[in-house]
Amino acid sequence: MSTSPQEGGRRAIDQILSAGFAADVESLDLAVLRERRHLAEQEEVDLSYARRLLQGRIDLLTAEAAPAGSRSDADLAHDLAELLSEDGPRADHGLGRHLNVDPSRVGEHRRAAEQAVATLSTGATSEDVAAAVETLRGLERDVSENRHRVQQVMDVLTAEVARRYRTGEARVEDVLTVE
């Protein structure tokens, strides 16, 4: 799950986090500005999805690592259901942004999250599980950091679109006739 941006790279994150992507937005054509904002929005959704996958695996492995015999099978089943539910115990929800797109790279993110714990087997030691959790936490930190940076770019682009509407440089009627 390589989300580290690379200067001059062709991936969306490489473009979005490049120095010029959100620079001089005042001079961009409105259509180009909107395209860039949409690209950033899609990347934010994809990073958010990847982050949730990693957090889920961290939660599951952490629950699995609890001392043996400390919980009954019923307790384990209840905890698993709680972790997998939409109203699970996560306390670190994001900014609550409303986004209009779905994740576009679901399979890619799922495979990457699975690879991070692929070395674990049913006979894994608590040290193996702890190492896997730390690997996942490192990946989650990287994804979260890049997601935050993408959100900052989105904020710059969105602020410029809003400014144009506020000042009359852009009008809803113009968008409706183009689409």
Side-chain angles (χ1 to χ4, degrees), residues 11-18 21-22 25 28 31-49 97-105 109 143 146-159 161:
R11 299 174 307 161
I13 195 163
D14 300 332
Q15 296 170 38
I16 295 162
L17 297 181
S18 69
F21 191 81
V25 293
L28 293 176
V32 172
L33 184 62
R34 286 178 174 280
E35 286 174 27
R36 288 185 182 188
R37 187 177 65 168
H38 180 73
L39 182 65
E41 182 179 37
Q42 184 64 64
E43 187 63 17
E44 197 277 339
V45 167
D46 286 335
L47 290 171
S48 181
Y49 181 80
R97 293 172 182 258
H98 174 73
L99 300 172
N100 297 316
V101 294
D102 292 324
S104 65
R105 299 187 316 262
H109 294 305
V143 168
N146 285 324
R147 180 175 168 250
H148 180 69
R149 292 174 61 200
V150 168
Q151 288 172 338
Q152 290 174 327
V153 170
M154 281 177 53
D155 290 345
V156 168
L157 300 172
T158 300
V161 170

Side-chain angles (χ1 to χ4, degrees), residues 94-155:
L95 299 173
R97 293 172 182 258
H98 174 73
L99 300 172
N100 297 316
V101 294
D102 292 324
S104 65
R105 299 187 316 262
V106 172
E108 172 188 336
H109 294 305
R110 189 169 284 139
R111 280 189 304 280
E114 289 167 0
Q115 285 175 342
V117 294
T119 59
L120 293 179
S121 66
T122 54
T125 66
S126 59
E127 291 82 15
D128 295 335
V129 173
V133 167
E134 282 310 305
T135 298
L136 289 170
R137 284 186 176 141
L139 288 170
E140 193 272 337
R141 275 190 301 274
D142 291 345
V143 168
S144 292
E145 178 183 311
N146 285 324
R147 180 175 168 250
H148 180 69
R149 292 174 61 200
V150 168
Q151 288 172 338
Q152 290 174 327
V153 170
M154 281 177 53
D155 290 345

